[in-house]
Amino acid sequence: MDDELLRRVTAWIAEDPDPRTRAELEALVAAGADAELAERFAGTLQFGTAGLRGALGGGPMRMNRAVVIRAAAGLAAYLGSRGGGLVVIGYDARHMSYDFARDTAAVVTGAGLTAALLPRPLPTPVLAYAIRRLGAAAGVMVTASHNPPQDNGYKVYLGDGSQIVPPADAEIAARIAAVGPLDEVPRAADGAWRVLGDDVLEAYLDRAAAVVRPGGPRELSVVYTPMHGVGMETLDAAFARAGFAAPLRVERQAAPDPDFPTVAFPNPEEPGAMDLAFATAREAAARAAADGSPAPDVVIANDPDADRCAAAVPDPAAEAGWRMLRGDELGALLAAHLVRTGAAEPGRDVFAASIVSSSLLSRIAAAAGLRHEDTLTGFKWIARVPGLRYGYEEALGYCVDPDGVRDKDGVTAALLVAELTAALKAEGRGLADLLDDLALAHGLHATDQLSVRVADLELIGAAMARLRARPPARLAGLDVTSAEDLREGVGGLPPTDGLRYRLAGQDVESARVVVRPSGTEPKLKCYLEVVVSPAAGLPAARETATGVLSALKADLAEAAGL
């Protein structure tokens, strides 16, 4: 190990307040793990619009108490320069989440601000709701959402209940960079801050239950998994308050478990993540056939912090007997439901989605006389759309009550899924039937994604540089009619690292590709959409769309050098 690296590691160990990460770094030094230590000390975990997120461990490139204390001190300095106020702090059940929440409360209180902790591990939307209800200046949620078990994160909201956006992120980052030695950061003793009771949670549940109409159909059977996260208790209570029967839980995933033992990635979108939920649904269907009990109508899943919502429908043609709805499909279904129930007012309310989401939402909105807005990726942008009534993003995020929770909320989205499923069941129909209706009315909008996880982030930069240097002229036999570099701030959107291609050809009405680095994971993500006329029938349209999407993925991977 070179002398400079050893000096930096030794200095960090001397300052680190956590004996666990100190011991970890000392063991790495003793083992001569130079490459590992060099990576951990190659820079600092960057604070941005997603706050902080990374693997747990010692060193400035990991999530640990030293990094969190600095982040909290920088946030407190930023808020203090703007008048201070209350900071509400929530946390999930991941490793170190409570420690990071308590450190944040200690630093915020030590800086002369007021801190309040949620009473226990709770969903992210409860924290987002609490900020607005309590009139806080800011909120912090300690969570890594759907990341792997070795990760944790630190998400920051300002007083409007929305996640931070530029320039606030850069200003907070500058304050963090200016924090001196940790032993000079004032920290209050345990007990100096407020721990909230259940009042805020009860108010959230009342608000959540109000997203469904009183007196509507409630007859349905739901299979539910919180994916080893913190959603079970809150969703059960919300369902009961709204008049729905308790969902049939996926028992092996029902209790919070930071190791996520039954899934490779605790994300409903990942292959295999829903296997236990589908097995539970099949077992329930078999019991129903034998004893006449209700067979499951829908499977619902939250991610570990319950801000995302996934749904699956029965499908005899699928290997598991169930088919996961794509995020875009569920987004369109919820929008159609809000239109159908009169919950959105023409001429006033706005539907919004990010530029990586399906354009079907814009057609649903136009047909209903509603305004529609495109935003950059992330609810930090969607939630800020003036007049927003409903917003969604293809990555299973849905904002159905923006006046209550100005962020994605997997609990209220699950309630709307249940209400819609029950209403359709009362008509002898299902979610798949409504999807067919939307395709016939607005064209078949088929979406897919090419997502490449990398160990070396430089590979993502190289792929983006390759596409910028040699933009494709054709993809999947379709002509690229426009190629936009989103760094230039196209269409009135703020600049962002991304590329958008629009395509045309005789077999499709339109097609679109968006390529961008993930903001929360080491992934390059390519979002694909094909719109096909249903004139020849939906089966033919689906076959055409499937073929084009498959060819798009292959051609795009080649163009990006993936």
Side-chain angles (χ1 to χ4, degrees):
M1 183 186 305
D2 66 68
D3 291 343
E4 175 58 22
L5 177 58
L6 180 58
R7 184 195 66 76
R8 294 179 62 206
V9 173
T10 302
W12 184 278
I13 290 172
E15 189 178 54
D16 193 332
D18 193 331
R20 292 164 293 188
T21 44
R22 289 200 305 269
E24 178 190 45
L25 290 173
E26 289 167 350
L28 289 172
V29 171
D34 293 10
E36 171 72 11
L37 288 167
E39 191 277 327
R40 293 186 183 214
F41 285 81
T44 58
L45 202 58
Q46 292 300 300
F47 186 93
T49 51
L52 295 168
R53 195 174 294 188
L56 293 162
M61 290 292 289
R62 295 289 188 267
M63 284 294 297
N64 51 65
R65 290 185 60 204
V67 166
V68 166
I69 288 169
R70 289 186 181 279
L75 175 62
Y78 171 85
L79 295 172
S81 71
R82 284 157 174 75
L86 170 67
V87 180
V88 187
I89 304 159
Y91 55 99
D92 65 10
R94 283 179 178 265
H95 293 296
M96 298 296 294
S97 285
Y98 176 66
D99 302 78
F100 295 160
R102 185 181 60 196
D103 281 332
T104 301
V107 170
V108 165
T109 306
L113 284 72
T114 304
L117 256 66
L118 293 185
R120 57 186 174 278
L122 287 168
T124 292
V126 177
L127 181 276
Y129 172 80
I131 295 166
R132 292 172 61 80
R133 179 169 179 85
L134 298 176
V140 171
M141 183 68 194
V142 181
T143 180
S145 189
H146 57 285
N147 276 38
Q150 65 268 24
D151 288 1
N152 212 327
Y154 196 84
K155 186 182 295 187
V156 176
Y157 298 77
L158 292 182
D160 63 354
S162 300
Q163 297 178 46
I164 55 171
V165 295
D169 58 341
E171 293 169 1
I172 295 170
R175 294 282 187 168
I176 294 171
V179 174
L182 286 192
D183 59 8
E184 295 180 6
V185 174
R187 280 176 272 172
D190 282 355
W193 53 85
R194 178 184 174 195
V195 177
L196 298 170
D198 279 343
D199 294 355
V200 168
L201 176 60
E202 290 297 315
Y204 167 82
L205 290 169
D206 286 342
R207 179 96 196 189
V211 304
V212 299
R213 297 163 297 157
R218 295 290 189 269
E219 294 299 319
L220 84 161
S221 175
V222 176
V223 171
Y224 171 69
T225 175
M227 206 70 67
H228 295 296
V230 296
M232 188 84 247
E233 176 189 359
T234 303
L235 186 130
D236 263 356
F239 266 53
R241 203 156 298 197
F244 292 104
L248 175 63
R249 61 180 62 182
V250 179
E251 291 294 348
R252 289 174 60 194
Q253 296 177 338
D257 189 331
D259 293 320
F260 306 105
T262 69
V263 292
F265 289 92
N267 178 356
E269 295 178 293
E270 292 285 345
M274 295 292 289
D275 286 355
L276 280 178
F278 293 159
T280 301
R282 289 194 300 271
E283 292 164 3
R287 287 196 301 272
D291 63 17
S293 58
D297 300 295
V298 65
V299 173
I300 295 176
N302 288 140
D303 67 339
D305 68 327
D307 65 348
R308 287 172 169 83
C309 178
V313 296
D315 184 352
E319 182 179 353
W322 288 80
R323 180 177 75 84
M324 271 281 291
L325 296 178
R326 301 193 67 84
D328 285 315
E329 291 178 311
L330 188 54
L333 287 169
L334 295 181
H337 181 55
L338 292 172
V339 169
R340 171 169 132 146
T341 58
E345 184 176 324
R348 185 194 69 176
D349 288 339
V350 179
F351 283 0
S354 66
I355 57 173
V356 301
S357 303
S358 173
S359 60
L360 177 55
L361 184 67
S362 65
R363 298 199 184 187
I364 293 171
L370 300 165
R371 290 186 293 136
H372 174 269
E373 294 285 344
D374 284 323
T375 76
L376 292 184
T377 307
F379 271 83
K380 57 185 175 285
W381 300 109
I382 294 171
R384 285 182 159 78
V385 170
L388 182 69
R389 174 59 185 86
Y390 167 68
Y392 96 92
E393 189 158 72
E394 56 77 39
L396 306 180
Y398 310 95
C399 177
V400 303
D401 178 24
D403 289 336
V405 174
R406 199 160 286 180
D407 196 10
K408 54 187 177 292
D409 183 346
V411 177
T412 51
L415 286 170
L416 276 194
V417 171
E419 181 185 44
L420 172 57
T421 305
L424 291 169
K425 182 177 182 179
E427 301 169 3
R429 307 173 77 229
L431 296 176
D433 297 309
L434 182 53
L435 282 174
D436 286 349
D437 293 348
L438 294 173
L440 291 171
H442 305 293
L444 177 70
H445 289 62
T447 59
D448 205 347
Q449 188 179 133
L450 172 65
S451 181
V452 182
R453 184 181 292 272
V454 299
D456 183 357
L457 291 176
E458 290 184 2
L459 295 175
I460 293 177
M464 296 297 291
R466 178 181 173 122
L467 288 170
R468 286 188 168 106
R470 297 188 293 276
R474 284 175 65 81
L475 293 168
L478 305 175
D479 292 329
V480 177
T481 58
S482 72
E484 300 167 301
D485 190 336
L486 302 180
R487 291 186 306 188
E488 299 172 2
V490 301
L493 297 172
T496 189
D497 187 9
L499 298 164
R500 180 167 61 186
Y501 306 111
R502 300 189 188 278
L503 307 98
Q506 64 179 15
D507 293 331
V508 303
E509 288 187 12
S510 63
R512 183 218 64 203
V513 173
V514 178
V515 185
R516 60 178 283 271
S518 170
T520 57
E521 298 177 272
K523 286 182 177 180
L524 182 69
K525 305 184 86 170
C526 309
Y527 305 85
L528 320 173
E529 180 180 48
V530 175
V531 183
V532 181
S533 169
L538 286 178
R542 289 195 175 97
E543 183 177 356
T544 296
T546 299
V548 173
L549 288 170
S550 178
L552 271 177
K553 285 199 283 188
D555 288 358
L556 190 60
E558 181 178 355
L562 299 174

